[in-house]
């Protein structure tokens, strides 16, 4: 085979290896405490581990229906009613995917036509641009204001054209921790109705919203009920990122498009994990409350610790990421800072500029995750303290 035949396709080649892969590899090489990629260093509820193990032993261990097991789809519909007062038909409006990752890809691949434009609100999760490109679409970027990450509706309106097919709203938003308030989503809904465009909601951090704020799913906004495709995941809510059980919830016509591509991507998600997650999603309110208390305490532990060390800390409204502004530190940029930190201090973080299309907009932000055991967070803070001294 020639080098030409081994080439990555032109849509994906410009994106290179993800910064998460690079920083996690550097963390392992440097034996750094890894606060870079967002996965917990603990497992979720023991009951769910047992439920999955039992489901494997009891079987069946075969393909499930492509849309997902009815028990899980029903549990998701019940949860949408219980938490958000949104009625969802589990048969025609819920699809189980292999993580939100596949759910997002299935949605974009199932709905976009070549030439369609998709608006992304920066800083944005790194999956959207390459999948939009692979689907033949074009990403159009609108930056949230800094340092508060407000959405400028005038800038958003200016970004819309007659080719705009959708806007992606990641709420709560990774990496900046923004939580959209209901008024913003209502305004967004009106705009989408006027321009006849869809909204793709990435709501994987829906249960991690702090300080008494509420999560408003896009499907609870009347103007968006039939034009929003909401993607979520069990990964963050149940601390089982490796199980890859995600979901897409949308009106029947949109669900049909999602299922069309999902059947050719993975066809279905492992049945044992689906059965265990049906149990997880059905757990009582106290589980969700305890999860939020756990993360509220971890957010405080990390943010207070960084603050005491003199860092300029941006505590998130939602998600499990906190950021620091490194403008006043003597580093060329966030990447140089993160490489130095992992190699010389023994703490791995993510240079947030990679969440912007034009990296220069975010080279002063560095993201740390706090989905870690307290002792891991303390160890990272201790290493930073020693360095600062
Ligand atoms: C904003 C956002 N969307 C999607 C995902 C992927 O979710 P999953 O692990 O369910 O594929 C992540 C994971 O970090 C994320 O931060």
């Amino acid at each position: 085979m020639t080098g030409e035949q081994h080439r990555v396709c032109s849509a994906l080649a410009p994106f290179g290896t993800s910064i998460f892969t690079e920083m996690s590899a550097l963390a392992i090489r440097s034996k750094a405490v890894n606060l870079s990629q967002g996965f917990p260093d603990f497992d979720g509820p023991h009951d769910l581990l047992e439920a999955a193990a039992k489901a494997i032993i009891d079987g069946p261990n075969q393909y499930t229906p492509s849309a997902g097991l009815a028990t899980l789809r029903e549990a998701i519909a019940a949860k949408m009613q219980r938490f958000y007062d949104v009625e969802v038909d589990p048969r025609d409006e819920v699809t189980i995917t292999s993580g939100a990752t596949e759910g997002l890809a299935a949605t974009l691949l199932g709905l976009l036509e070549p030439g369609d434009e998709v608006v992304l609100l920066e800083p944005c999760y790194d999956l959207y641009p390459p999948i939009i490109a692979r689907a033949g679409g074009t990403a159009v970027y609108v930056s949230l204001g800094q340092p508060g990450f407000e959405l400028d509706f005038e800038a958003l309106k200016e970004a819309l054209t007659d080719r705009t097919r959708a806007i992606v709203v990641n709420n709560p938003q990774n990496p900046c921790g923004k939580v959209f308030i209901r008024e913003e989503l209502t305004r967004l809904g009106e705009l989408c109705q006027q321009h006849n465009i869809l909204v793709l909601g990435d709501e994987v951090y829906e249960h991690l919203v702090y300080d008494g704020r509420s999560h408003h799913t896009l499907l609870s906004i009347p103007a968006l009920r039939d034009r929003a495709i909401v993607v979520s995941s069990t990964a963050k809510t149940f601390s089982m990122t490796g199980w890859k059980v995600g979901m897409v919830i949308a009106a029947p016509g949109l669900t049909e498009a999602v299922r069309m591509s999902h059947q050719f991507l993975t066809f279905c998600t492992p049945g044992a994990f689906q059965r265990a997650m049906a149990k997880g999603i059905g757990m009582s309110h106290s589980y969700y409350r305890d999860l939020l208390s756990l993360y509220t305490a971890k957010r405080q532990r990390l943010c207070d610790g960084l603050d005491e060390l003199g860092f300029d800390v941006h505590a998130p409204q939602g998600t499990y990421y906190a950021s620091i502004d490194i403008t006043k530190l003597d580093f060329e940029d966030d990447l140089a800072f993160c490489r130095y930190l992992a190699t010389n201090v023994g703490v791995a973080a993510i240079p947030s500029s990679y969440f912007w299309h034009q990296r220069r907009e975010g080279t002063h932000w560095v993201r740390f995750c706090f989905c870690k055991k307290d002792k891991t967070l303390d160890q990272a803070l201790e290493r930073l303290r020693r360095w600062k001294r």
Side-chain angles (χ1 to χ4, degrees):
M1 281 233 207
T2 64
E4 188 71 2
Q5 284 165 312
H6 283 152
R7 211 176 48 195
V8 174
C9 70
S10 56
L12 297 183
F15 295 98
T17 306
S18 107
I19 191 66
F20 301 107
T21 309
E22 182 185 332
M23 291 318 297
S24 282
L26 184 58
I28 292 167
R29 269 204 315 277
S30 328
K31 297 195 171 46
V33 180
N34 192 357
L35 304 189
S36 62
Q37 201 173 3
F39 59 87
D41 62 352
F42 49 88
D43 280 339
H46 196 76
D47 281 2
L48 300 190
L49 301 176
E50 274 178 353
K54 185 168 183 327
I56 290 174
I57 299 297
D58 292 352
N61 285 285
Q62 310 307 329
Y63 299 129
T64 73
S66 182
L69 290 173
T71 46
L72 178 55
R73 285 185 282 135
E74 283 158 13
I76 290 166
K79 191 202 90 164
M80 294 302 283
Q81 184 83 60
R82 173 160 67 119
F83 280 86
Y84 309 122
D85 204 16
V86 172
E87 202 172 317
V88 165
D89 182 341
R91 273 170 315 166
D92 301 329
E93 297 193 304
V94 182
T95 307
I96 307 305
T97 55
S98 292
T101 303
E102 195 232 335
L104 291 160
T107 304
L108 292 164
L109 293 170
L111 282 163
L112 292 188
E113 293 290 349
D116 281 352
E117 292 178 358
V118 180
V119 177
L120 299 178
L121 307 177
E122 295 184 297
C124 71
Y125 187 55
D126 70 342
L127 171 147
Y128 318 132
I131 302 295
I132 292 167
R134 186 68 273 208
T138 304
V140 174
Y141 298 92
V142 173
S143 286
L144 297 177
Q146 293 190 37
F149 299 103
E150 316 78 26
L151 172 58
D152 176 349
F153 275 89
E154 290 314 310
L156 179 58
K157 275 186 214 160
E158 269 171 37
L160 303 180
T161 72
D162 54 7
R163 277 167 299 164
T164 308
R165 175 80 163 125
I167 303 176
V168 178
V169 177
N170 176 205
N171 181 30
Q173 185 158 342
N174 175 12
C176 61
K178 176 185 172 69
V179 170
F180 287 79
I181 59 170
R182 193 166 181 89
E183 288 67 29
E184 277 177 304
L185 297 176
T186 303
R187 221 171 140 189
L188 189 82
E190 284 160 9
L191 195 67
C192 290
Q193 215 166 26
Q194 275 163 19
H195 292 262
N196 192 25
I197 50 189
L198 302 171
V199 190
L200 171 53
D202 179 346
E203 302 187 358
V204 302
Y205 300 99
E206 62 185 300
H207 295 291
L208 301 178
V209 170
Y210 306 108
D211 302 328
R213 291 181 183 86
S214 300
H215 172 71
H216 299 284
T217 176
L218 292 176
L219 294 168
S220 70
I221 306 298
L224 294 178
R225 178 61 184 85
D226 291 330
R227 59 176 70 245
I229 305 102
V230 166
V231 177
S232 192
S233 176
T234 58
K236 320 288 175 175
T237 306
F238 298 98
S239 308
M240 309 282 202
T241 58
W243 285 12
K244 300 299 287 185
V245 181
M247 65 212 71
V248 184
I249 311 170
L254 295 170
T255 289
E256 208 179 306
V258 173
R259 288 182 183 176
M260 189 61 73
S261 58
H262 162 70
Q263 67 180 332
F264 299 124
L265 286 171
T266 56
F267 186 78
C268 67
T269 296
F273 295 137
Q274 290 193 52
R275 275 175 262 155
M277 278 308 173
K279 185 176 165 133
I281 288 174
M283 287 199 299
S284 70
H285 270 297
S286 68
Y287 171 76
Y288 293 87
R289 252 198 324 267
D290 292 349
L291 179 84
L292 186 60
S293 305
L294 179 85
Y295 276 114
T296 301
K298 290 188 184 300
R299 179 182 74 141
Q300 184 148 13
R301 194 176 200 96
L302 180 66
C303 291
D304 285 357
L306 291 170
D307 187 55
E308 277 162 24
L309 291 173
F311 289 108
D312 187 356
V313 183
H314 175 85
Q317 299 173 341
T319 73
Y320 49 46
Y321 307 104
S323 300
I324 58 169
D325 182 337
I326 59 163
T327 306
K328 294 191 190 124
L329 303 182
D330 197 15
F331 283 89
E332 189 190 327
D333 64 8
D334 57 338
L335 180 61
F337 177 80
C338 287
R339 283 186 175 150
Y340 176 88
L341 212 63
T343 314
N344 299 293
V345 182
V347 177
I350 291 287
S352 297
S353 59
Y354 286 88
F355 295 88
W356 273 271
H357 169 59
Q358 305 277 3
R359 272 194 59 214
R360 65 183 139 74
E361 288 194 59
T363 46
H364 52 297
W365 289 113
V366 169
R367 191 197 80 173
F368 295 90
C369 67
F370 52 84
C371 48
K372 302 291 172 184
K373 292 176 189 147
D374 287 350
K375 76 168 195 252
T376 309
L377 296 175
D378 291 346
Q379 196 188 7
L381 288 167
E382 182 48 37
R383 289 182 179 193
L384 289 166
R385 195 167 296 123
R386 250 186 280 146
W387 169 56
K388 278 276 189 170
R389 241 187 254 140

